[in-house]
Amino acid sequence: MFNKFLRENKVAAYILTVLRLYLGYEWLMAGFHKITGGFDATGFLKGAIANPVKGPDGGMVYATFVGFLKHFALPNAHIFNVLVPWGEFLVGLGLILGCLTTAAIFFGLVMNFAYVMAGTVSTNPLDILLGVFILAAGLNAGRVGLDRWLIPDIRKYAAMGKKENHADKHTI
């Protein structure tokens, strides 16, 4: 019932728009400050590796993620120095414009979970909660935005591609 409300109700679309604009602004500004301020992920990565999230028994909770940070992210910090700020900026832009909203919030949630697994709490739990509502709403979250016009065109184009591929399979 609640999912149907999120996915189909016009009032929900406007509530989701407010949530989308809030999260979009937060992501956009975080990315903008990193782009213009000379972001370097090395210190954050070293800190997350040196002080991993620990459980009540004192053991690492996300040992696999710490291994990923240590063996992939840190040696390739120059890649993350570009991906993180531009990813945050583009997620924010997508959410504000309501353009590819579901993809934008998905990648925003991926970043939120990565920050939480690295030990950064901050506003990430609230961002995750709001993001889950937006993700669950699907197309309705972008109804008041560019998705209103963009998604039907994408679906039409994808359907044309399926018809062409289907026809190609049956020709000799």
Side-chain angles (χ1 to χ4, degrees):
M1 184 169 139
F2 184 67
N3 194 35
K4 183 175 178 162
F5 171 76
L6 280 177
R7 296 179 76 77
E8 298 174 7
N9 191 287
K10 288 182 182 180
V11 173
Y14 290 103
I15 294 169
L16 291 162
T17 299
V18 172
L19 297 179
R20 209 185 69 222
L21 290 172
Y22 166 74
L23 283 178
Y25 177 79
E26 294 295 319
W27 279 114
L28 185 85
M29 295 311 295
F32 178 76
H33 290 301
K34 287 180 177 90
I35 291 167
T36 60
F39 175 73
D40 185 8
T42 307
F44 178 80
L45 294 171
K46 286 180 180 178
I49 294 166
N51 302 307
V53 177
K54 295 183 180 177
D57 63 351
M60 276 193 279
V61 177
Y62 306 115
T64 305
F65 186 71
V66 173
F68 165 77
L69 294 178
K70 185 175 184 179
H71 300 293
F72 183 78
L74 189 57
N76 297 298
H78 61 283
I79 296 170
F80 288 85
N81 290 340
V82 175
L83 287 179
V84 170
W86 283 102
E88 290 179 354
F89 185 82
L90 292 173
V91 163
L93 192 63
L95 291 174
I96 288 172
L97 297 175
C99 181
L100 301 174
T101 305
T102 306
I105 198 62
F106 172 78
F107 287 110
L109 286 169
V110 168
M111 286 189 284
N112 277 132
F113 279 113
Y115 298 149
V116 167
M117 289 188 291
T120 304
V121 176
S122 184
T123 62
N124 289 311
L126 176 63
D127 293 351
I128 289 169
L129 177 65
L130 298 177
V132 166
F133 285 124
I134 294 170
L135 187 64
L139 184 59
N140 202 33
R143 178 184 283 191
V144 182
L146 295 178
D147 281 350
R148 179 181 188 139
W149 298 281
L150 184 63
I151 298 301
D153 286 344
I154 291 173
R155 287 180 176 169
K156 185 171 35 172
Y157 181 74
M160 286 179 5
K162 286 182 184 177
K163 288 179 186 173
E164 289 173 7
N165 288 339
H166 185 69
D168 290 344
K169 290 179 183 176
H170 297 290
T171 58
I172 298 177

